[in-house]
Every structure is written in structure tokens, then in C-alpha cells.
């Protein structure tokens, strides 16, 4: 089988890339050198922006069935038994019209992978286990690959999602600059029969901190906890047998009363903080840990890889279908590079706080997972394919690619807006209108003018552009328009989310990309065409 895209790596980022491409009807093959799967507790945090992307992939209902709020953290005092502090990772927030899933959730990476594999299987694609990418050669029209079994294959494009030791990254000669951190990390999985369903923490990360975090997944084995040890003086017994692990834990925590189950396993590694200088070369790309690695502080890793995959997949599909020039693929690097650089800076700050602060200090950022870490502020305002003539000064101003600015601009996340209704009173929301693989034109107008119908007519000639006309609640011009979905902003949520509640004069167009980022905010038909001229051929 010679697919259009070969993905090396069957972890979460590779699976997201494969599923996104399958939804875009691009033939995909995904391989992984592993022969067995481990119920691994790492990558358990799912941030709000990732939940939104799960929604557009169609995987969110399965995620919500199994994910739960992050367990309450319980920090113990010197005796190991008396709680010194009970602390939530983040304040539980109520949903708002523009942010429907404001809270991060807790679900082990292995469970997310299972959900993604099940959805991928619905497209007739399964991970080929025990199949290792040995080498490859990129030519002008294809990539020839050497596999362990079967030995030879070819593809139009190759995505490396094999992790920190990526063959794709190394073969491309991409730099991977950075450094190793001072602390070591042990992660594992254990059964504990007599602990409350919390995240229990003993010790200090300056030397050795141990935690047991309850796994709330209803499909998990009973009494399942993740075991994490972090510090500069980790007891080697934590990487030994089950009895060694229990012995080391009892000595550090002072808790001989805790009853462990039959199984316990751990793995130690030395965290690194590194990233590539570019995310692609020729017909080959790197995503996730193949492109950037960092400490677990902040829980950004899996979530960042998710966004890598969603960014490159729609662009790659557009090029494969000859809808876009190959130059569009260069924006994968220009958009993701500054975001990842900002993410590494943020996670290093959190790590430093973890190693220096008293972990029981409620003011410390060491254990917080809100604010920028929700990833709702990630933006591509600096991208050369972004167009904003509504807020030209704001979009050109220097902003943190992880935080965004005061007003909503092109390059920012497209917010949700419920309560938009059709002529028959049927309600929907913008998130239910957005489709992965479709560019959505939100045409805000106080009436249906010739300019509006002209834009709709033009959009109907583009197979991947959906036109949606949004009228004010009290508009008298509620009529059908061929080639467009016509809706009223019955509760004003759309206007508030996109324009701060201020009504629009005439027509304002918001172009939402397949990855749910705003590509353009403009006023004129020609400006819409100029924007799509940066993406599409012709």
C-alpha cells in the first residue's frame, strides 16, 4: 500500500493527524515500531482548547464520557498523614456562551489514544504495530521509505510523530536545540486500595517529591493511581520491582498503612527542553514530541501536539487536492514556531517555580493550570496568511502568541456562539456549523444587500467555503439566500463574541479556518478574495 500520507508514530499526535486527514478524505497509512501498548498515565491533562478541537474532530462525546475534573490535590505535612493543604489545580468555571468547555479535564493519554484509534478505525485505518521506519529519501514528487516490514514503500508526504528520538527529524537534519533539566522524573501506574480519590503529594521537588493521582476514568482498572516522582535525588528503588517501589514510597511518605495492589510499574527519564528551528523540509514534517520536548510542568505537551496536527492536516489536504500552492505548507512552521517557543518559556517558568517555591504555597504558579495554560489565547496574528482590515493596528501590534490581545482579531481562536436560529426557529451554534475541512464565512450584516449576495455567489464557486449570513435579532430582512445558511443572532451571543457586543454597520466578514482559527476579519468582498488568494490557487 502506497498512501498519500505516511505517518510514523501511533501516539496521540500521529493519531490526531491521521484522523484529521481521514476526515478530509486523504489516504493515510500510520505505522509504529512498538509491538505492545502500555496503559500509561502520562499526558493526562486535556485543556479547554483541545476539547474544542476534539469537538470538531467528532471525538468529544467519547472524551467527555471518560474524562473528569482534575482530582483535588492534597499536600501532606511532615508526618505524611495530616493534610497541610487541599488545593484545586484550577478554579472550576461555569461555561459561557463563547467558551463552552472552560475547564481542563483529566484522562490518561492511553485512554485518549484508544478513543482516537476507535474513530480512525471507522475510516478503515488502523495503526500497523511492529512496523518501524528505518530510513527515507525525499525526492521532488514523492518520499521513498525503508520500513522494517514490509521493507519498501512510498508516499507523497511523510509526517514524523515518533517522539523525541524521531528518525524523521534526525534524517532531515533539523536542529533540536535546548538542554536537559536538572531534575529527573519517574512516572508509573499502581493500584492503591485505601486512599481517597484525590491527588496525594508528599515531599519536596527540591529533593524528592512523590505523588499518587487517582485515575477517575470509569473504564480504568479499580483503584488505579498514577505514581509520579520528581526531584534531583530520586531513590533508585522507584524504578525497581513492585516491592522496591512500595518500600521506597513507604520510606519517603511515612505511610506504611497504604495498601498497594498486585501490579506496579515505573519508568524514569531525564526531561529535556528542546525544539526544532523549522517544522518541515521538502515533503516531510515533524509534529508533537518529534518537534518539541519539555518538562511535564503545565501539562502542555500532548495538547501542543494536537494543535500541530490540526494545523498541518488541513493545509496538507488542500495542497494534495491541488486547491492550494505547496507554499501554504511553509506556514506550518511560521505559525507554530513562535507558539511553541512561548510554550517552552511558560513551562520553564512553571518548572522553576516548582523547584524553588514551597509547593504548599497557595500563591505559587507551580500547580496552577488555568490562564494561558488553557491554550484559548494561542494565536497566529503574526502569520503571513492572516488578513485583518477591521483591527489593523491591533493585529500588527506585538502580542504574546500564547496570550493574544484585548480585542478579537484575525489569527485568534474563533469563539463559540449559541442561539443562532433559522427562519423556522431551529437553533444551532457556530461550533456546530464549523466543519474540519471547511472554511466558514461568517457574514455579519444588518440586511441582505447586493454586496452580501455577491459574496455568497462567489463563495459557492469554492467547494470548501461555506457561507453563513448572520443577521441581528430584530432584522426585518430574514429571507433565504441561495448558497448560504441565513441565521439570526437571537441572543446576541455572536455579536458579543466577535465584536464585543457592538453591532456591525453594513457588512463585516469573519473567515474561520478549518482548525477553528480566524483567518480574516474584513469589510469588503475584494478583501475576502484577497485573503483566500493567500490560501487557494486561482
Amino acid at each position: 500500500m502506497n498512501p498519500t500520507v505516511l505517518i510514523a508514530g501511533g501516539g496521540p499526535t500521529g493519531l490526531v493527524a491521521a484522523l484529521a486527514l481521514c476526515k478530509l478524505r486523504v489516504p493515510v497509512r500510520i505505522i509504529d515500531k512498538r509491538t505492545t501498548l502500555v496503559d500509561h498515565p502520562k499526558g493526562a491533562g486535556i485543556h479547554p482548547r483541545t476539547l474544542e478541537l476534539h469537538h470538531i474532530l467528532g471525538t468529544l462525546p467519547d472524551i467527555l464520557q471518560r474524562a473528569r475534573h482534575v482530582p483535588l490535590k492534597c499536600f501532606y505535612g511532615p508526618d505524611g498523614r495530616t493534610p497541610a493543604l487541599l488545593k484545586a489545580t484550577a478554579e472550576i468555571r461555569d461555561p459561557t456562551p463563547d467558551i463552552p468547555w472552560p475547564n481542563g479535564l483529566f484522562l490518561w493519554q492511553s485512554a485518549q489514544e484508544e478513543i482516537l484509534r476507535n474513530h480512525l478505525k471507522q475510516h478503515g485505518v488502523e495503526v500497523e504495530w511492529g512496523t518501524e521506519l528505518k530510513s527515507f529519501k525525499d525526492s521532488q514528487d514523492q518520499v521513498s521509505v525503508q520500513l522494517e516490514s514490509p521493507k519498501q514503500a512510498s508516499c507523497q508526504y511523510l509526517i514524523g510523530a515518533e517522539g523525541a528520538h524521531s528518525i524523521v527529524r534526525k534524517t532531515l537534519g533539523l536542529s533540536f536545540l535546548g538542554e536537559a533539566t536538572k531534575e529527573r522524573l519517574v512516572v508509573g501506574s499502581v493500584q492503591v486500595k485505601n486512599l481517597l480519590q484525590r491527588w496525594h503529594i508528599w515531599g519536596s521537588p527540591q529533593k524528592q517529591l512523590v505523588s499518587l493521582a487517582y485515575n477517575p476514568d470509569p473504564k480504568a482498572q479499580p483503584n488505579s493511581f498514577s505514581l509520579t516522582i520528581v526531584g534531583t535525588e530520586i531513590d533508585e528503588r522507584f524504578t525497581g520491582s513492585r516491592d522496591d517501589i512500595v518500600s521506597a514510597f513507604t520510606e519517603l511518605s511515612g505511610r506504611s498503612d497504604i495498601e498497594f495492589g498486585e501490579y506496579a510499574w515505573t519508568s524514569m527519564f531525564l526531561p529535556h527542553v528542546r525544539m526544532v528551528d523549522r517544522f518541515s523540509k521538502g515533503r516531510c514534517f515533524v509534529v508533537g514530541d518529534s518537534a518539541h520536548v519539555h518538562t511535564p510542568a503545565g501539562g502542555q505537551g500532548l495538547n501542543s501536539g494536537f494543535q500541530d496536527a490540526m494545523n498541518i492536516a488541513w493545509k496538507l489536504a488542500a495542497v494534495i487536492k491541488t486547491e492550494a500552492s505547496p507554499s501554504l505548507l511553509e506556514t506550518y512552521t511560521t505559525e507554530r514556531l513562535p507558539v511553541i517557543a512561548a510554550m517552552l518559556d511558560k513551562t520553564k517558568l512553571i518548572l522553576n517555580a516548582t523547584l524553588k517555591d514551597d509547593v504548599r504555597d497557595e500563591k505559587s504558579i507551580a500547580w496552577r493550570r488555568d490562564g494561558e495554560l488553557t491554550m484559548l489565547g494561542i494565536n497566529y496574528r503574526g502569520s503571513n496568511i492572516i488578513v485583518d482590515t477591521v483591527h489593523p493596528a491591533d493585529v500588527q501590534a506585538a502580542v504574546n502568541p500564547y496570550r493574544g490581545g484585548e480585542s478579537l482579531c484575525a489569527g485568534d481562536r474563533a469563539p463559540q456562539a449559541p442561539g443562532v436560529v433559522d427562519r423556522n426557529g431551529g437553533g444551532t451554534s457556530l461550533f456546530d456549523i464549523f466543519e474540519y475541512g471547511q472554511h466558514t464565512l461568517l457574514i455579519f450584516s444588518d440586511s441582505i444587500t447586493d454586496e452580501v449576495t455577491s459574496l455568497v455567489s462567489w463563495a459557492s464557486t469554492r467547494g470548501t467555503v461555506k457561507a453563513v449570513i448572520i443577521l441581528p435579532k430584530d432584522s426585518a430582512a430574514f429571507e433565504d439566500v441561495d448558497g448560504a445558511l441565513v441565521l439570526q443572532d437571537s441572543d446576541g451571543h455572536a455579536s458579543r463574541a466577535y465584536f464585543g457586543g457592538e453591532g456591525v454597520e453594513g457588512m463585516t466578514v469573519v473567515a474561520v479556518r478549518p482548525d477553528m482559527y480566524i483567518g480574516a476579519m474584513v469589510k469588503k468582498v475584494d478583501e475576502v478574495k484577497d485573503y483566500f488568494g493567500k490560501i487557494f490557487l486561482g
Side-chain angles (χ1 to χ4, degrees), residues 164 169 175-183 269-277 288-298 300 339-352 355:
R169 185 191 68 245
S175 70
F176 205 43
L177 300 178
E179 60 185 0
T181 62
K182 294 180 180 179
E183 87 286 358
F269 67 96
L270 180 65
H272 285 246
V273 179
R274 301 180 184 276
M275 66 179 291
V276 293
D277 57 341
D289 287 354
S290 294
H292 43 83
V293 294
H294 44 87
T295 75
Q300 301 292 282
V339 170
I340 296 302
M343 181 269 290
L344 292 183
D345 289 342
K346 184 68 177 177
T347 55
K348 281 191 285 188
L349 284 175
I350 296 172
L351 175 64
N352 290 337
L355 296 177

Side-chain angles (χ1 to χ4, degrees), residues 314-315 317-326 328 437 439 462-464 532 535-538:
W314 73 266
K315 297 172 181 177
V319 172
I320 288 168
K321 297 175 182 179
T322 66
E323 296 169 349
S325 165
L328 178 64
H439 297 260
R462 315 295 313 205
T464 56
F532 280 107
I535 296 176
F536 293 130
L537 292 169

